[in-house]
Amino acid sequence: RAGQILRAFRMERFSSRYPHELSGGEQQRIALARAVATEPKLLLLDEPFVSLDFRTTRYLRQELKKQQRHLGLTTLFVTHNLAEARELGDRIAVFKNGQIEQIGSPRDVWFNQACSETGFLEKPNILDCSYCTCLGNGLVEVGWSGYKLLVPDDGCQVSRVAILPDEIYISTERAPGPPINCFEGRIRTIQLGDGVAQVVVTVQGVDLRVE
């Protein structure tokens, strides 16, 4: 069982090492593997990927979800990372000052945020779509504010599109390549803080928040 779990978490080459011979990130991965190996009825995780690099975190999220499904493992996962919450959560509870502000599916919380502040859930830009056309090859064309947007096809009729502030790229130069999902806008405000520039850009009369 130990060997199986080590292989699942890509840690089999560390099986002969002692804890003090592992890096902090490696110790964190082993701790997660050890917790899953016991096949608990309830797994409690408090930001288990916080000190890991992006590639390792992405892999471990996928592996944890697979182990959850395989073992029927109920998990309570505490995170400030929106991507983790959306990828791992069947239901999301949003807390503020120790109080639950909202409970729902990832889609409910994503599109209908009841939170008075956005801290954990960096509030996405919600774009209302005027039409939706399936293009095949996993893509859907939607109309937004007189523009055409290409978005992934999840098998549902698209009426709204959510885009995180850090998923929008700003440039003074026109982007190279085909003009897909590229729009002209005017910067209204720039606010600096905590190493992040929070920008408001107006596109066709619609304000988009960008980080």
Side-chain angles (χ1 to χ4, degrees):
R1 175 65 179 165
Q4 178 187 9
I5 292 295
L6 284 171
R7 285 190 297 274
F9 285 91
R10 294 183 180 176
M11 295 293 289
E12 62 269 30
R13 61 193 174 97
F14 300 100
S15 61
S16 62
R17 295 192 188 182
Y18 288 95
H20 69 272
E21 297 175 319
L22 300 173
S23 69
E26 290 163 355
Q27 290 182 24
Q28 201 161 2
R29 290 167 65 185
I30 284 292
L32 181 60
R34 184 184 294 119
V36 171
T38 62
E39 300 187 17
K41 293 183 179 179
L42 177 64
L43 182 63
L44 307 179
L45 299 175
D46 188 358
E47 302 202 63
F49 307 138
V50 68
S51 63
L52 303 181
D53 63 87
F54 174 77
R55 290 185 62 186
T56 301
T57 296
R58 184 171 59 181
Y59 168 77
L60 287 179
R61 283 208 305 255
Q62 295 170 350
E63 188 55 41
L64 176 60
K65 195 170 186 70
K66 185 169 73 175
Q67 293 289 341
Q68 280 181 295
R69 296 294 184 263
H70 176 67
L71 299 174
L73 187 57
T74 299
T75 304
L76 180 62
F77 192 103
V78 180
T79 182
H80 287 82
N81 186 302
L82 179 57
E84 287 181 353
R86 292 185 63 215
E87 184 173 341
L88 293 173
D90 297 310
R91 299 180 74 210
I92 295 176
V94 182
F95 280 78
K96 179 190 173 188
N97 297 328
Q99 302 295 318
I100 296 177
E101 290 214 335
Q102 185 176 5
I103 297 179
S105 69
R107 180 181 289 271
D108 290 338
V109 174
W110 188 248
F111 283 103
N112 304 295
Q113 291 191 30
C115 314
S116 55
E117 293 185 11
T118 57
F120 151 69
L121 290 173
E122 305 158 306
K123 193 172 182 180
N125 297 284
I126 305 296
L127 312 181
D128 293 315
C129 304
S130 56
Y131 70 85
C132 170
T133 303
C134 180
L135 301 179
N137 299 320
L139 289 176
V140 169
E141 179 187 290
V142 298
W144 166 71
S145 194
Y147 289 114
K148 296 178 180 178
L149 273 174
L150 296 185
V151 299
D153 184 2
D154 63 0
C156 301
Q157 185 75 10
V158 179
S159 59
R160 288 183 296 172
V161 173
I163 303 177
L164 281 173
D166 63 2
E167 292 177 334
I168 300 177
Y169 177 73
I170 300 177
S171 174
T172 56
E173 306 293 332
R174 184 175 295 275
I180 297 174
N181 294 354
C182 296
F183 314 107
E184 290 187 357
R186 180 178 295 275
I187 292 178
R188 287 186 53 208
T189 62
I190 301 176
Q191 183 175 350
L192 303 177
D194 297 327
V196 176
Q198 296 181 328
V199 183
V200 175
V201 181
T202 301
V203 179
Q204 285 291 92
V206 179
D207 287 345
L208 300 178
R209 288 170 299 99
V210 184
E211 288 186 358

